Amino acid sequence: MKPSIPLSRPDVGDLEVQYVMDVLRSGMLSLGPSVPKFETQFASFIGRRHAVAVNSGTSALHLCVRALGIGPDDEVITSSFSFVASTNCILYERAVPVFLDIEPDSFNLSPEQIYRFLSQRCEHNSSGHCINKDTGRRVKAILPVHVFGMPCDMDAIERLAQDYGLSVIEDACEALGAEYRGRRAGTFGDAACFAFYPNKQMTTGEGGMIVTDDDAFAEACRSMRNQGRNSASEWLDHARLGFNYRLSDIHAALGSAQLQHIESLLEKRQSAAASYDERLQGVRGLITPRRIHGSKRSWFVYVVQVPSKNGSDIRDSVLRSLRSAGIGCQAYFPAIHRQPYMKGQFIAPFGALKETEIASDACLAIPFFSTIDAAQITAVCHALKQALQDASRDEHSTARIAVSRG
Ligand SMILES: *Cc1c(COP(=O)(O)O)cnc(C)c1O
């Protein structure tokens, strides 16, 4: 059944249609002027020297990993509480993800855990590189993810990266427009990645962007997205191993149109979130998104927590009720380290990822998009409260049966 209130929905209007039509009529559907135009606008919106457009956020992350020379037998510190792409990009290059736990309030990679790992396990070799004493492998980078649009503690992460000589790739795919201590997400680290799938704050259908201040890094990414061609040389001159990760002009034009009204797209999401906050504050058995001092979240998704005594029992029951009421929702994120294909592919130096698993069991994304209206929000809240009541009644009766049987 198609949900009557979807989980997400893009906000595309006449300007988008006009820009895309202009490209279609121009005859230049790829490698035309729309891509560099979109890149220039995007770089200026974020506040970085370069923006390199690619065909997905995943491609953006992959090219950053390659541009930093991360390869087999390198380790990258990251979070298991994320969308799989932020870990897959490490595996593509046969490097090893080092999963450290998150902070329960922000859901972001914990700087304390990074400090604990680096101070206990890192040994500097003769070249000054950080070597993990347990594995003998080099720790090369930190890949923080701004989960649900909430910026990570970037001051702490950048300081640790500097102290231990590590690179930083920001996964800002969920954080377009977010700010950390007055600075835009995407302006930290060696490079940052954005994504434009239709559920994101702005869309190109499919698409992604790398932003960096480093000229050589940007040039390497431009070359790698286009089969390793040198920008200065002949069409079929391949300087390195590359990919076809190009964004078409059709997609780029859509992106340019979305960027024209990005402030309003972000404001609409912000006010939808405020509306949910107001209606869901204090509901029993529910935790609404937390505020973090010094950070401005960009609202990507509206994720509530439904804690259960046993794993994800209650959350899953609420999820089923909402879906059968025609309301789109998702257990978001399922922890990456629990995906069957990840077995043996990562290390978790401190064992269990406790906070990651708690979040993974409790988190529930409910319908959220810039055009969601008051009636839809009311309907979602009503169904959610009902589902919570039903689930807790069921839990109590199950507990009674267990007691009487015991
Ligand atoms: C959306 C997203 C990506 C990239 O996704 P694509 O579908 O490849 O554009 C990467 N990381 C996170 C955390 C995301 O939410």
Side-chain angles (χ1 to χ4, degrees), residues 56-58 61 82-83 85 145 171 173-174 195 197 200 207 332:
S56 74
T58 308
L61 286 163
S82 175
F83 179 60
V145 183
D171 181 341
C173 289
E174 305 196 343
Y197 184 75
K200 310 278 175 180
Y332 191 75

Side-chain angles (χ1 to χ4, degrees), residues 38-221:
F38 178 40
E39 290 174 336
T40 305
Q41 290 169 331
F42 195 86
S44 114
F45 176 73
I46 297 299
R48 279 213 130 159
R49 278 167 63 87
H50 303 282
V52 181
V54 289
N55 59 2
S56 74
T58 308
S59 306
L61 286 163
H62 184 202
L63 292 190
C64 287
V65 166
R66 278 189 75 91
L68 289 174
I70 294 166
D73 279 333
D74 289 328
E75 294 184 355
V76 179
I77 296 167
T78 192
S79 166
S80 168
F81 191 69
S82 175
F83 179 60
V84 287
S86 61
T87 290
N88 285 350
C89 65
I90 300 166
L91 298 179
Y92 295 158
E93 295 303 319
R94 307 255 174 274
V96 180
V98 178
F99 287 144
L100 298 176
D101 214 354
I102 57 170
E103 301 172 318
D105 284 354
S106 66
F107 301 123
N108 286 331
L109 194 54
S110 153
E112 280 81 40
Q113 294 292 309
I114 303 175
Y115 174 73
R116 186 174 158 211
F117 171 69
L118 290 171
S119 61
Q120 291 181 7
R121 310 295 163 87
C122 169
E123 209 165 49
H124 291 284
N125 68 6
S126 55
S127 336
H129 295 151
C130 166
I131 306 296
N132 180 347
K133 280 191 276 202
D134 290 348
T135 62
R137 291 186 294 244
R138 180 168 167 197
V139 183
K140 243 188 184 159
I142 308 175
L143 199 161
V145 183
H146 305 311
V147 169
F148 308 152
M150 178 62 82
C152 294
D153 185 350
M154 291 311 295
D155 279 352
I157 290 173
E158 286 201 318
R159 205 172 315 121
L160 286 165
Q162 200 152 40
D163 289 351
Y164 288 87
L166 310 178
S167 307
V168 175
I169 303 169
E170 246 186 293
D171 181 341
C173 289
E174 305 196 343
L176 182 69
E179 284 173 23
Y180 171 80
R181 300 193 176 159
R183 247 175 93 184
R184 276 249 150 96
T187 59
F188 298 88
D190 296 74
C193 298
F194 290 90
F196 310 124
Y197 184 75
N199 68 344
K200 310 278 175 180
Q201 288 90 330
M202 63 161 273
T203 187
T204 60
E206 294 280 0
M209 193 75 85
I210 298 156
V211 293
T212 181
D213 293 324
D214 182 325
D215 299 351
F217 190 104
E219 195 43 46
C221 291

Side-chain angles (χ1 to χ4, degrees), residues 323-388:
R323 285 193 180 153
S324 62
I327 291 169
C329 54
Q330 194 71 254
Y332 191 75
F333 301 113
I336 298 172
H337 69 278
R338 285 170 161 176
Q339 302 286 347
Y341 82 95
M342 283 301 302
K343 207 167 171 230
Q345 302 293 308
F346 65 91
I347 58 170
F350 304 130
L353 298 161
K354 187 168 149 265
E355 299 298 342
T356 300
E357 298 199 344
I358 291 173
S360 173
D361 282 341
C363 278
L364 177 71
I366 58 178
F368 190 71
F369 39 95
S370 59
T371 56
I372 193 166
D373 62 32
Q376 289 173 313
I377 290 180
T378 303
V380 173
C381 293
H382 177 77
L384 180 57
K385 288 176 195 169
Q386 189 64 52
L388 279 162

